[in-house]
Amino acid sequence: MTFPSGRFGALFLGLAGASVAVSGALADTGAIFDTLDRIHPVWAQNGMVSAQEHLAAAIGRDIMAKGGNAVDAGVAVAFALAVTLPRAGNIGGGGFMLVHDAKTGQTHAIDYREMAPAGASRDMFLNEAGEPDSDKSLYSGASSGVPGTVAGMKLALDKYGTMEWADVIAPAIKLAEEGFTVTPELADSIEAERQYLTKYPATTRIFFKEDGTVWKPGETLVQADLAKTLKKIAAEGPDGFYKGEVAEAISKAVQADGGLITPEDMAAYKVMEREPVKGTYRGYDIVSMPPPSSGGVHLIQILNALEGYPIGALGQNSAETIHLMAETMKLAYADRSEYLGDPDFVDVPVAALTSKEYAADMRDKISADFARPAAQIAPADLAPYESDQTTHFSVVDKDGNAVSNTYTINFNYGSGLVADGTGVLMNNEMDDFSAKPGTPNGFGLIGGDANAIQAGKRPLSSMTPTIVLKDGKVWLVTGSPGGARIITTVLQVVMNMIDHGMNVAEASTAPRVHHQWLPDELRVEEGLSLDTIRLLQAKGHSIALKDAMGSTQSIMRDPATGALYGASDPRRPDAATLGY
């Protein structure tokens, strides 16, 4: 076998305890996929963790090797990523977790998304001209919602884990207190965000040396303040974060930078358990996150529509397949702009959007020959029923229990704000609300009244933690960061495996496409053939070749043998899939 060279670096083909990782492959994937005869996943028998940072993945694997279950490992990974992947891992943000209990066959959805402070109001991000002020919604104290990660991890561990709270946080405390080796990717990401990270003295002291230079690869990054905060959380539970000196320090820092969070907001935070959204696709059961995530609804909506086409026969990434995917994506994202929001505040037509009947109506609007202009597409008339810097990890244990977790602080390093003495990077998730219905947010997504800002409300998200079942047993656990592109990234991993028979590593590596209705462009990664591009253009698609999309962390479980096969997306070089 010939390995790719040059900008793609070395490809490491995984065995037990290894990962599929390509150094430097942040923008290009096609040459990797075309060059290799077969891309092999990691294999393990007892347990597996797939995460965007290798030290955190190793912590999760070791937790299971010591007797912990998938939830124990998942909570440990979440806290570790807050130390080792500061641009996305967090305790200053929030997210969603799916937990599958192999014994009962039930999958539980934990919503620990951030909440708007009590003082938040609909027009808080509009300037004097009545237009959205992106600096305020992204890079000020006002951009932060009340964080949910600590409360979410505690609920998950208490209800579905087996280990003690302090024990699963201990590895993260050690990493923060003793430090860890800076990687090239970490050093580059800090330098790239210098403008925002140096705005705040407490943040500057963590991520830059006294002379203003960034930490270099190979040096040790110690986060003493974060270690202190983690110790309080380990000793006092969520009260160590949501009450007392940490909560007061966060509130003080946020308000000093024009924000709204008060100690009372911190103390009032609540985790929600919700019913997962469920669907079927060619004999597989799809289980994903419900609102306030839009991910699960639109993943199932798109799959339902595509189920009516012979996708496997049309071919993986053929012009015909991509065209049908793009046309279906447009319709789903148009619906997203109108109907999706926090279900505690608005009626979201989940049943209608995820029905097979509605999928048939969608297919009636699609031409096999021509791309429909976005200007001709509007949200469907339905009666109500019932970001890039996110990170995802997947965990499966020896008993078939599984965790699919996606959490975020929104943009790289969130708002950049660290409350002095806490080491906690604050999120800028308030930008995920619709500052002005009908105008795009930081990811270009259009939102409507359903996602307007309101006190106590959770902003709409695209995060799509997903578990696919076959005959009632876990078959695939996956998810990804990527802002608006999360939904379509997860979609393509699922389709690559079900429709095109790829193994989990091949499915993770294949070039991706994305359409979100507005802007009216079909975004593609490098790797599609020129002939395919020309055929798509002939159908009327406006092609935009852009950087890589997503960073999937996926585990496939053989329901018959229990063997685990996993892969970390090669688009992020520090990611790892580890098993034992």
Side-chain angles (χ1 to χ4, degrees):
M1 178 179 290
T2 301
F3 291 91
S5 59
R7 59 182 165 171
F8 297 112
L11 178 66
F12 299 95
L13 299 183
L15 297 174
S19 68
V20 176
V22 182
S23 178
L26 293 181
D28 306 301
T29 58
I32 302 170
F33 187 70
D34 292 339
T35 301
L36 298 177
D37 299 320
R38 186 76 170 168
I39 300 174
H40 299 290
V42 180
W43 176 87
Q45 187 65 49
N46 295 313
M48 184 173 284
V49 178
S50 186
Q52 202 172 319
E53 196 284 319
H54 68 283
L55 293 174
I59 283 170
R61 175 201 59 194
D62 294 345
I63 287 282
M64 287 190 290
K66 294 174 183 176
N69 70 6
V71 176
D72 301 324
V75 174
V77 170
F79 278 104
L81 287 170
V83 181
T84 62
L85 192 71
R87 63 184 175 83
N90 70 83
I91 57 173
F96 304 119
M97 178 186 284
L98 291 181
V99 176
H100 181 78
D101 185 331
K103 187 175 181 179
T104 65
Q106 298 297 307
T107 303
H108 309 276
I110 301 172
D111 171 5
Y112 60 96
R113 182 74 159 143
E114 300 88 343
M115 296 175 67
S121 59
R122 180 185 178 95
D123 297 333
M124 62 182 285
F125 292 131
L126 301 185
N127 60 23
E128 293 180 358
E131 297 301 322
D133 181 345
S134 60
D135 283 341
K136 188 174 183 181
S137 67
L138 287 170
Y139 302 114
S140 76
S143 69
S144 295
V146 182
T149 296
V150 173
M153 293 304 119
K154 188 64 162 65
L155 183 144
L157 189 73
D158 286 350
K159 293 197 71 170
Y160 307 111
T162 66
M163 294 179 62
E164 295 296 323
W165 177 246
D167 291 339
V168 298
I169 302 176
I173 294 173
K174 183 176 180 180
L175 282 170
E177 195 165 44
E178 299 180 5
F180 65 96
T181 302
V182 174
T183 65
E185 185 186 15
L186 176 58
D188 288 348
S189 72
I190 295 172
E191 183 61 48
E193 302 301 330
R194 174 184 287 272
Q195 176 183 353
Y196 302 106
L197 297 179
T198 54
K199 177 182 175 182
Y200 304 102
T203 312
T204 305
R205 287 195 296 271
I206 297 171
F207 297 110
F208 296 88
K209 301 176 187 177
E210 290 186 6
D211 63 1
T213 60
V214 72
W215 295 99
K216 295 184 179 66
E219 295 181 334
T220 300
L221 176 61
V222 173
Q223 299 172 75
D225 287 343
L226 182 56
K228 184 177 70 173
T229 297
L230 289 171
K231 286 179 179 178
K232 286 188 67 65
I233 294 169
E236 302 174 23
D239 283 354
F241 182 78
Y242 291 99
K243 298 178 181 178
E245 63 183 49
V246 173
E248 290 168 4
I250 288 174
S251 301
K252 180 180 178 181
V254 166
Q255 290 180 36
D257 197 41
L260 300 170
I261 294 176
T262 66
E264 291 74 23
D265 289 322
M266 292 289 289
Y269 182 82
K270 290 184 174 59
V271 185
M272 298 294 293
E273 281 202 90
R274 303 190 187 275
E275 185 65 27
V277 62
K278 299 177 181 178
T280 61
Y281 185 67
R282 306 193 197 281
Y284 292 82
D285 294 311
I286 312 296
V287 184
S288 195
M289 197 68 203
S293 170
S294 63
V297 168
H298 297 309
L299 173 67
I300 291 170
Q301 178 186 2
I302 295 170
L303 287 171
N304 282 344
L306 292 173
E307 193 172 33
Y309 301 107
I311 298 296
L314 293 175
Q316 199 273 338
N317 274 353
S318 68
E320 292 82 0
T321 294
I322 292 173
H323 169 72
L324 292 171
M325 290 168 59
E327 294 303 285
T328 309
M329 291 171 186
K330 290 180 194 176
L331 295 171
Y333 277 82
D335 288 340
R336 184 189 190 278
S337 74
E338 177 73 16
Y339 295 111
L340 271 291
D342 184 342
D344 295 333
F345 287 76
V346 296
D347 290 325
V348 182
V350 173
L353 288 167
T354 58
S355 70
K356 300 289 187 181
E357 292 77 14
Y358 182 57
D361 291 340
M362 292 173 65
R363 288 192 293 272
D364 288 341
K365 300 174 183 177
I366 295 172
S367 165
D369 300 314
F370 301 104
R372 189 177 179 193
Q376 297 179 12
I377 296 174
D381 185 13
L382 296 173
Y385 295 73
E386 30 194 284
S387 135
D388 263 353
Q389 304 318 321
T390 299
T391 190
H392 178 87
F393 59 83
S394 298
V395 187
V396 180
D397 65 25
K398 61 182 175 58
D399 297 317
N401 301 305
V403 166
S404 182
N405 186 93
T406 313
Y407 69 164
T408 186
I409 47 177
N410 202 25
F411 276 24
N412 254 343
Y413 298 91
S415 68
L417 172 64
V418 169
D420 197 19
T422 68
V424 178
L425 271 161
M426 291 301 293
N427 68 82
N428 54 0
E429 290 296 347
M430 293 292 287
D431 184 70
D432 274 359
F433 282 115
S434 299
K436 181 179 181 181
T439 61
N441 69 0
F443 289 106
L445 286 169
I446 304 296
D449 287 333
N451 192 38
I453 304 170
Q454 193 170 344
K457 194 175 183 180
R458 300 169 200 254
L460 184 61
S461 170
S462 294
M463 291 185 283
T464 316
T466 297
I467 296 175
V468 181
L469 308 173
K470 182 66 174 175
D471 299 325
K473 296 181 179 180
V474 169
W475 181 72
L476 175 67
V477 183
T478 191
S480 178
R485 299 173 293 281
I486 293 175
I487 301 168
T488 54
T489 294
V490 173
L491 169 78
Q492 287 164 88
V493 170
V494 173
M495 292 178 65
N496 285 343
M497 295 182 68
I498 294 177
D499 287 303
H500 306 300
M502 292 182 175
N503 69 41
V504 68
E506 293 170 325
S508 302
T509 305
R512 294 175 183 146
V513 302
H514 170 77
H515 206 305
Q516 63 183 53
W517 178 46
L518 295 172
D520 194 357
E521 64 181 25
L522 177 56
R523 176 174 176 153
V524 302
E525 291 182 330
E526 186 171 322
L528 295 182
S529 73
L530 188 57
D531 286 342
T532 299
I533 297 293
R534 287 170 174 164
L535 287 169
L536 289 166
Q537 289 173 327
K539 289 178 181 290
H541 292 283
S542 175
I543 306 297
L545 178 63
K546 295 187 178 181
D547 288 347
M549 291 179 265
S551 176
T552 54
Q553 309 298 324
S554 306
I555 300 171
M556 177 264 185
R557 183 176 187 270
D558 185 333
T561 66
L564 302 171
Y565 303 88
S568 286
D569 199 317
R571 292 162 179 81
R572 294 292 181 187
D574 286 352
T577 293
L578 304 175
Y580 77 102

